[in-house]
Amino acid sequence: MSLLRQRKPTGTSNATESDPNICQEDEKKNKAASKDKNPKKQKSWSCIDSCCWLIGWICVTWWFLLFLYNAIPTSFNQYVTEAITGPVPDPPGVKLKKEGLTVKHPVVFVPGIVTGGLELWEGHQCADGLFRKRLWGGTFGEVYKRPLCWVEHMSLDNETGLDPSGIRVRPVSGLVAADYFAPGYFVWAVLIANLANIGYEEKNMYMAAYDWRLSFQNTEVRDQTLSRIKSNIELMVATNGGKKAVIIPHSMGVLYFLHFMKWVEAPAPMGGGGGPDWCAKHIKAVMNIGGPFLGVPKAVAGLFSAEAKDVAVARAITPGFLDHDLFPHQTLQHLMRMTRTWDSTMSMIPKGGDTIWGGLDWSPEECHSPSRKRQIANDTQIANENGSEVVVSQIKHVNYGRVISFGKDVVDAPSSEIERIDFRDAFKGQSVANSTCSEVWTEYHEMGYGGIKAVAEFKAYTAGLIIDLLHFVAPKMMARGDAHFSYGIAENLDNPEYQHYKYWSNPLETTLPTAPDMEIYSLYGVGLPTERAYVYKLTSAECGIPFQIDTSADDEDSCLKDGVYSVDGDETVPVLSAGFMCAKGWRGKTRFNPSGIRTYIREYDHSPPANLLEGRGTLSGNHVDIMGNFALIEDIIRVAAGATGEDLGGNQVYSDIFKCLEIKVLIDLGERPSPHQCIFLPRSLGGWPDNQMPDLML
Amino acid sequence: MSLIRRRKQNETSRPTRSDPSSIDKEDDNKKKIPAKDQNAEEIALKKLRKWSCIDSCCWLIGSICVTWWFLLFLYNAIPASFNQYVTEAITGPVPDPPGVKLKKEGLTVKHPVVFVPGIVTGGLELWEGHQCAEGLFRKRLWGGTFGEVYKRPLCWVEHMSLDNETGLDPSGIRVRPVSGLVAADYFAPGYFVWAVLIANLARIGYEEKTMSMAAYDWRISFQNTEVRDQTLSRIKSNIELMVATNGGNKAVIIPHSMGVLYFLHFMKWVEAPAPMGGGGGPDWCAKHIKTVMNIGGPFLGVPKAVGGLFSAEAKDIAVIRATAPGFLDNDIFRLQTLQHVMRMTRTWDSTMSMLPKGGDTIWGGLDWSPEEGYTPSKRKQRNNDTQIANEDESEVVASQRKHVNFGRIISFGKDIAEAPSSQIDMIDFRGAVKGNSVANNTCRDVWTEYHEMGYEGIKAVAEYKAYTAESILDLLHFVAPKLMARGSAHFSYGIADNLDDPKYRHYKYWSNPLETTLPNAPDMEIFSMYGVGIPTERAYVYKLTPSADCYIPFQIDTSADDDDTPLKDGVYAVDGDETVPVLSAGFMCAKGWRGKTRFNPSGIRTYLREYEHSPPANLLEGRGTQSGAHVDIMGNFQLIEDIIRVAAGARGEDLGGDQVHSDIFKMSEKINLQL
């Protein structure tokens, strides 16, 4: 203690030089006070002691409050909430238990990208002491303590897309892998708790955790994850009296499970050798939550310039922070270098090209600006009252099809007026920057000014061209990606080339398994503005990433904000990507769905939590927060307890998904007449009458 | 803050009322004196006066906090390897951990590894509970910090107990085993079980796809883990998957403690036909298992289990008791701690799997026992640093002076324990009338079956005076009929005369090595690895509890001590690993299964690997790298090295065959068992 006391005065004396009044005053008081008794002792109370006193005081208060907090019953919080917001509804698990629902089908969770925990099994010197500690998920403590070490261990090999030598980072297994992403930030935990209410436990719930950084086939090559999932589903079906499993993939897990379904039925060397009826035998329903079936435009921005809306906004709000602090310089470059080694990110590049995502002059979503709709018709749950708004927002034609444009004027101009210079053959030029920025290497350094300029001069990129663009700016990454993913539309699905695993996660290049009794759901949130297209600009930075979202691009009339065009969706996945396959591509017997697996769309309208006490809300439609949406949980529990899609009430649609698709997306489905074939009535722009539209579908 | 201050003052003023003259008046006086001077400085002075009591308190706390934070900061600032430097400075260079050493030798992953944890060490978590357990969903009730034991002890006991009739979940409560490696890597924070082994295996390349923890609910009987949780099916499927994804390399199984019995049960279950068994066919084990490396296996049971079931008293039946002796008797459960513990543990069927098996043939009768003449504590005291066991013949002779009747597992009174059998006047208790349950009305909050026995029954038990392994079973049937009724449906403790008898196909025999045959797998190997050199409970001297109205009527007579024999605090000890006597851990591999016997028809090779206990040299070593204690042996470098070598492909011969420090072979000689 004596040591401390000595240290402090020296520290404070420096500070007090600037304003010496405070301590002097204190001392005066002390002197006055200590006239009668031992003055020396009193003197020493002055500065540090009041400091100590303050700290002690705070500690005591804190402990006292902590004690009080621990002493009050746990239900107190609930009372407060109820007092403020009125009675809280029973959580769905409790409610359905009262209805008498119990365990029937085993349940498998397939987590998405980012949400699964990763832990260290072998590392370099700098990661000493982190054995079996989480590098990803949990508290992320190590990111702050040793950022460069962390980046090094989270990166994969740039050539193979597998472990770098001497480093093994592996997915956490079990339900803990993705129940909470960080302390207090649930992902699957709420769903698990509600399922447990009706009797589920670990023997009939399984988390199909996988390393979400790897390409899907590589999870099998390195960790045999697909085999593990197969074996586990088989076991759960066998030990539950032959009742088929309900699969619940979320986000990228949706694509992973598409891959799995093809893998498991494919013959042994490349596939799992489960035979052509494995899915029919083992799977009752696949309930995709927020599935980016056709990719997400966000992935493009992530790969192209390591930024999406959130990063761009962060940059707009606190300029400089990203560019300086966390890592010694070049945060974004480090981030980009790391994420570009992750093959899985390429699984989410928009698929289907211009046919799906629109060309230079058209896009399926053109007509709808979600933010507008929400602003006006905020409290109505039905989407059709805002027909007039739609008309209003249609005044300005928005070219969503141009996923990346350089400059705002380019976005708004008709395609005929844009003068594009093809970049593909452009000479990339010398890598000038290499010598000065050697610490972080991104592939941009190999491009040189010539290449960068060529990219910018092409001006507008549609979904189909995005692939070429990425090939141009990141050839190594795309070389890896090409071996594992494909983004086209199959002309002829019987072509033997489509037996290769790289097509398995693209719903437009594979057929669904032959399992007529299976059901596929697409469950996703709507009502949130979702990134769809970007306005870019060139940066002057010599060492930085040469492209940046142009946050100055704003437009009141169209949905352009901070350089990002948004459409309706769940904040990450646009409605088009999440809904198209179930709404049209797979509906009825199509060439993508030869056995006529029934599909259902369940949309959940977003409404933000009413107050802070509700946390992330029970009515959220946000990409991740929807996992706590009571309506969604109820649907899942009902299906797990045996209900079919019809029992849930078929489709539940708030967005304009059917409208967009019918009018705009012209894709050959090789359709054959079937009882499930939906009939679309041509509609005026007045919107759908009430909520009856779903009934028309079936 | 004002609130706190006021509260504190109130509190302090209250005690002063008893002597009102002192403090309050002084305070008043002090305040009055400066008030006369009447200037601004006095007000400041007044302020300072107020500092006196609470404020110095605050100051103290503040300074402690600051110091603490400063030290914490220093602690975090020093490199992680600092601790190691200190250790090395004191004890000289630390040897490489076995994983590092063997990696340098070039060993890599070959066979997948399956861990089977023992009783007590596996975590249990809550999936459904009563009102009182609110907020504990998926929190650990067993393992981890045990926070809830202190916060709501009765609720905890209620949730940890099983149904007394069925041995399964009570209604409305679901407590389930934690799954994955986390289930038993650490029992409590900092107290490793499997973690060291896992870390070392990881060094040569193991990871979760090649290591799996066969976690099961260790409270319920082995067959019930399948009935309720399908745990055995799960283990089967997992082993099959791991063998398939590792290029057909067979699995190495590493059971510990009760896991050894569980895995014996598994091997029979998996090959038995489908309704009762796993339907894997008669060559499942031959196809999927390379080696079973049993660590500290209580093959023939442990005498400790008797003490636990009889009077809830053996030293580790609950680790709780070991960690906090004494406080159990008073504090957390408001009296009657032991009764609560007994009531809880008696609902756990698995405890009965560890009752001594083989009766008097194995454990000795009234007048003989296989261990007599070998007293471990003596031997260890003298030649502490020699690793070879056979140099101490002379000691053995010396300690043979006094004949010890280890065979009498429970004796009432020290004189009975020492008297020749002819002099003991035994009155049969089996027919005794149990009498009225007198205690029932006064002690209704805790119900143990003793309350149904009444005084007559208790007296009858005490008058039988000496119990051998065989009569122990009758004794337990007498004092705990419900428990044993459940138990005898799941476990058996005899020796089979004819193993072909179809009755032995029932699952209750599967965990008793003396009533089953090993699977037909001539290429398989079975290791028995255990620590030696620690006194281990073997027999007890009991007494009746005086005035046992509400209490458990029997107690270990801790006053019974003897310098010549290994009797201490009422417990006779033999050589072992502190929990399992050498006899139980080693007999099957040393004799019962050695070569082709009727218990081992296909001649599976068996190896004994004993590890001599030497306690950690200093505190910095923690639990030591050469420990032989039942749980601490999991951190024994030598044992870990053996396991890694086998996992990387070595066979028993490559390790050097048997490694024996104790007198297990001589003891086995004395056992007259038809092979």
mmCIF file of all heavy atoms in Angstrom, chain A residues 125-145:
data_model
loop_
_atom_site.group_PDB
_atom_site.id
_atom_site.type_symbol
_atom_site.label_atom_id
_atom_site.label_comp_id
_atom_site.label_asym_id
_atom_site.label_seq_id
_atom_site.Cartn_x
_atom_site.Cartn_y
_atom_site.Cartn_z
ATOM 1 N N GLN A 125 3.049 -19.204 -31.553
ATOM 2 C CA GLN A 125 3.542 -18.728 -30.273
ATOM 3 C C GLN A 125 2.648 -17.638 -29.665
ATOM 4 O O GLN A 125 2.302 -17.677 -28.493
ATOM 5 C CB GLN A 125 4.961 -18.189 -30.457
ATOM 6 C CG GLN A 125 5.690 -17.878 -29.175
ATOM 7 C CD GLN A 125 5.929 -19.128 -28.361
ATOM 8 O OE1 GLN A 125 6.194 -20.195 -28.915
ATOM 9 N NE2 GLN A 125 5.815 -19.038 -27.045
ATOM 10 N N CYS A 126 2.229 -16.712 -30.525
ATOM 11 C CA CYS A 126 1.522 -15.548 -29.985
ATOM 12 C C CYS A 126 0.177 -15.907 -29.405
ATOM 13 O O CYS A 126 -0.412 -15.138 -28.652
ATOM 14 C CB CYS A 126 1.353 -14.480 -31.069
ATOM 15 S SG CYS A 126 0.185 -14.951 -32.352
ATOM 16 N N ALA A 127 -0.343 -17.080 -29.735
ATOM 17 C CA ALA A 127 -1.653 -17.474 -29.217
ATOM 18 C C ALA A 127 -1.522 -18.401 -28.018
ATOM 19 O O ALA A 127 -2.419 -19.189 -27.725
ATOM 20 C CB ALA A 127 -2.454 -18.149 -30.325
ATOM 21 N N ASP A 128 -0.422 -18.304 -27.343
ATOM 22 C CA ASP A 128 -0.161 -19.136 -26.181
ATOM 23 C C ASP A 128 -1.283 -19.000 -25.161
ATOM 24 O O ASP A 128 -1.753 -17.916 -24.881
ATOM 25 C CB ASP A 128 1.148 -18.643 -25.540
ATOM 26 C CG ASP A 128 1.963 -19.802 -25.032
ATOM 27 O OD1 ASP A 128 1.659 -20.944 -25.411
ATOM 28 O OD2 ASP A 128 2.903 -19.551 -24.265
ATOM 29 N N GLY A 129 -1.706 -20.118 -24.615
ATOM 30 C CA GLY A 129 -2.709 -20.055 -23.554
ATOM 31 C C GLY A 129 -4.132 -19.954 -24.056
ATOM 32 O O GLY A 129 -5.053 -19.853 -23.259
ATOM 33 N N LEU A 130 -4.316 -20.005 -25.356
ATOM 34 C CA LEU A 130 -5.677 -19.893 -25.871
ATOM 35 C C LEU A 130 -6.243 -21.241 -26.296
ATOM 36 O O LEU A 130 -7.285 -21.309 -26.936
ATOM 37 C CB LEU A 130 -5.716 -18.928 -27.065
ATOM 38 C CG LEU A 130 -5.413 -17.480 -26.712
ATOM 39 C CD1 LEU A 130 -5.489 -16.614 -27.940
ATOM 40 C CD2 LEU A 130 -6.415 -16.995 -25.687
ATOM 41 N N PHE A 131 -5.557 -22.310 -25.954
ATOM 42 C CA PHE A 131 -5.997 -23.637 -26.356
ATOM 43 C C PHE A 131 -7.444 -23.882 -25.919
ATOM 44 O O PHE A 131 -7.789 -23.719 -24.751
ATOM 45 C CB PHE A 131 -5.077 -24.687 -25.739
ATOM 46 C CG PHE A 131 -5.503 -26.101 -26.011
ATOM 47 C CD1 PHE A 131 -5.426 -26.622 -27.288
ATOM 48 C CD2 PHE A 131 -5.980 -26.899 -24.991
ATOM 49 C CE1 PHE A 131 -5.818 -27.927 -27.536
ATOM 50 C CE2 PHE A 131 -6.370 -28.206 -25.241
ATOM 51 C CZ PHE A 131 -6.296 -28.723 -26.517
ATOM 52 N N ARG A 132 -8.259 -24.259 -26.885
ATOM 53 C CA ARG A 132 -9.692 -24.516 -26.671
ATOM 54 C C ARG A 132 -10.447 -23.310 -26.133
ATOM 55 O O ARG A 132 -11.530 -23.441 -25.566
ATOM 56 C CB ARG A 132 -9.911 -25.724 -25.761
ATOM 57 C CG ARG A 132 -9.631 -27.040 -26.494
ATOM 58 C CD ARG A 132 -9.921 -28.240 -25.642
ATOM 59 N NE ARG A 132 -11.330 -28.349 -25.346
ATOM 60 C CZ ARG A 132 -11.818 -28.795 -24.192
ATOM 61 N NH1 ARG A 132 -11.022 -29.160 -23.242
ATOM 62 N NH2 ARG A 132 -13.101 -28.880 -24.004
ATOM 63 N N LYS A 133 -9.890 -22.129 -26.329
ATOM 64 C CA LYS A 133 -10.645 -20.902 -26.027
ATOM 65 C C LYS A 133 -11.273 -20.391 -27.327
ATOM 66 O O LYS A 133 -10.740 -20.611 -28.407
ATOM 67 C CB LYS A 133 -9.709 -19.832 -25.458
ATOM 68 C CG LYS A 133 -9.065 -20.223 -24.149
ATOM 69 C CD LYS A 133 -9.948 -19.836 -22.990
ATOM 70 C CE LYS A 133 -9.341 -20.088 -21.628
ATOM 71 N NZ LYS A 133 -8.355 -21.127 -21.499
ATOM 72 N N ARG A 134 -12.375 -19.686 -27.180
ATOM 73 C CA ARG A 134 -13.047 -19.205 -28.378
ATOM 74 C C ARG A 134 -12.316 -18.036 -29.011
ATOM 75 O O ARG A 134 -12.044 -17.039 -28.353
ATOM 76 C CB ARG A 134 -14.455 -18.759 -28.048
ATOM 77 C CG ARG A 134 -15.394 -19.909 -27.871
ATOM 78 C CD ARG A 134 -16.817 -19.435 -27.982
ATOM 79 N NE ARG A 134 -17.691 -20.570 -27.725
ATOM 80 C CZ ARG A 134 -18.981 -20.588 -28.020
ATOM 81 N NH1 ARG A 134 -19.540 -19.543 -28.559
ATOM 82 N NH2 ARG A 134 -19.700 -21.640 -27.769
ATOM 83 N N LEU A 135 -11.992 -18.164 -30.271
ATOM 84 C CA LEU A 135 -11.464 -17.023 -31.004
ATOM 85 C C LEU A 135 -12.607 -16.221 -31.600
ATOM 86 O O LEU A 135 -12.526 -15.021 -31.764
ATOM 87 C CB LEU A 135 -10.547 -17.490 -32.141
ATOM 88 C CG LEU A 135 -9.185 -18.014 -31.749
ATOM 89 C CD1 LEU A 135 -8.358 -18.208 -33.000
ATOM 90 C CD2 LEU A 135 -8.485 -17.067 -30.810
ATOM 91 N N TRP A 136 -13.644 -16.922 -31.963
ATOM 92 C CA TRP A 136 -14.807 -16.262 -32.555
ATOM 93 C C TRP A 136 -16.007 -16.563 -31.670
ATOM 94 O O TRP A 136 -16.208 -17.702 -31.271
ATOM 95 C CB TRP A 136 -15.043 -16.775 -33.977
ATOM 96 C CG TRP A 136 -16.074 -15.979 -34.685
ATOM 97 C CD1 TRP A 136 -17.413 -16.229 -34.692
ATOM 98 C CD2 TRP A 136 -15.873 -14.798 -35.442
ATOM 99 N NE1 TRP A 136 -18.049 -15.273 -35.419
ATOM 100 C CE2 TRP A 136 -17.134 -14.378 -35.903
ATOM 101 C CE3 TRP A 136 -14.745 -14.052 -35.784
ATOM 102 C CZ2 TRP A 136 -17.306 -13.247 -36.686
ATOM 103 C CZ3 TRP A 136 -14.922 -12.924 -36.561
ATOM 104 C CH2 TRP A 136 -16.185 -12.538 -37.013
ATOM 105 N N GLY A 137 -16.814 -15.557 -31.407
ATOM 106 C CA GLY A 137 -17.927 -15.740 -30.478
ATOM 107 C C GLY A 137 -17.446 -15.486 -29.065
ATOM 108 O O GLY A 137 -16.264 -15.231 -28.834
ATOM 109 N N GLY A 138 -18.379 -15.539 -28.122
ATOM 110 C CA GLY A 138 -17.992 -15.235 -26.757
ATOM 111 C C GLY A 138 -17.675 -13.767 -26.602
ATOM 112 O O GLY A 138 -18.319 -12.912 -27.189
ATOM 113 N N THR A 139 -16.623 -13.463 -25.872
ATOM 114 C CA THR A 139 -16.364 -12.058 -25.557
ATOM 115 C C THR A 139 -15.469 -11.365 -26.573
ATOM 116 O O THR A 139 -15.321 -10.166 -26.539
ATOM 117 C CB THR A 139 -15.677 -11.951 -24.194
ATOM 118 O OG1 THR A 139 -14.463 -12.719 -24.264
ATOM 119 C CG2 THR A 139 -16.554 -12.513 -23.106
ATOM 120 N N PHE A 140 -14.857 -12.117 -27.449
ATOM 121 C CA PHE A 140 -13.918 -11.532 -28.412
ATOM 122 C C PHE A 140 -12.786 -10.784 -27.710
ATOM 123 O O PHE A 140 -12.242 -9.835 -28.258
ATOM 124 C CB PHE A 140 -14.635 -10.568 -29.370
ATOM 125 C CG PHE A 140 -15.389 -11.267 -30.450
ATOM 126 C CD1 PHE A 140 -16.739 -11.478 -30.337
ATOM 127 C CD2 PHE A 140 -14.729 -11.741 -31.564
ATOM 128 C CE1 PHE A 140 -17.437 -12.145 -31.331
ATOM 129 C CE2 PHE A 140 -15.431 -12.405 -32.558
ATOM 130 C CZ PHE A 140 -16.778 -12.594 -32.443
ATOM 131 N N GLY A 141 -12.461 -11.212 -26.501
ATOM 132 C CA GLY A 141 -11.441 -10.519 -25.742
ATOM 133 C C GLY A 141 -10.118 -10.432 -26.473
ATOM 134 O O GLY A 141 -9.412 -9.428 -26.400
ATOM 135 N N GLU A 142 -9.801 -11.469 -27.227
ATOM 136 C CA GLU A 142 -8.481 -11.527 -27.840
ATOM 137 C C GLU A 142 -8.332 -10.542 -28.989
ATOM 138 O O GLU A 142 -7.229 -10.166 -29.352
ATOM 139 C CB GLU A 142 -8.186 -12.943 -28.338
ATOM 140 C CG GLU A 142 -8.105 -13.946 -27.217
ATOM 141 C CD GLU A 142 -7.146 -13.497 -26.135
ATOM 142 O OE1 GLU A 142 -6.070 -12.981 -26.468
ATOM 143 O OE2 GLU A 142 -7.488 -13.635 -24.951
ATOM 144 N N VAL A 143 -9.465 -10.157 -29.593
ATOM 145 C CA VAL A 143 -9.371 -9.203 -30.697
ATOM 146 C C VAL A 143 -8.697 -7.930 -30.212
ATOM 147 O O VAL A 143 -7.908 -7.310 -30.915
ATOM 148 C CB VAL A 143 -10.771 -8.864 -31.238
ATOM 149 C CG1 VAL A 143 -10.655 -7.982 -32.456
ATOM 150 C CG2 VAL A 143 -11.523 -10.124 -31.573
ATOM 151 N N TYR A 144 -9.033 -7.545 -28.971
ATOM 152 C CA TYR A 144 -8.474 -6.305 -28.466
ATOM 153 C C TYR A 144 -7.068 -6.506 -27.929
ATOM 154 O O TYR A 144 -6.207 -5.654 -28.069
ATOM 155 C CB TYR A 144 -9.391 -5.741 -27.382
ATOM 156 C CG TYR A 144 -10.783 -5.579 -27.887
ATOM 157 C CD1 TYR A 144 -11.778 -6.467 -27.541
ATOM 158 C CD2 TYR A 144 -11.079 -4.552 -28.786
ATOM 159 C CE1 TYR A 144 -13.060 -6.326 -28.054
ATOM 160 C CE2 TYR A 144 -12.347 -4.414 -29.297
ATOM 161 C CZ TYR A 144 -13.338 -5.300 -28.927
ATOM 162 O OH TYR A 144 -14.585 -5.167 -29.439
ATOM 163 N N LYS A 145 -6.853 -7.681 -27.319
ATOM 164 C CA LYS A 145 -5.556 -7.890 -26.680
ATOM 165 C C LYS A 145 -4.442 -8.075 -27.697
ATOM 166 O O LYS A 145 -3.379 -7.536 -27.563
ATOM 167 C CB LYS A 145 -5.620 -9.106 -25.768
ATOM 168 C CG LYS A 145 -6.254 -8.802 -24.433
ATOM 169 C CD LYS A 145 -5.930 -9.912 -23.438
ATOM 170 C CE LYS A 145 -6.926 -9.931 -22.298
ATOM 171 N NZ LYS A 145 -6.958 -11.232 -21.648
#
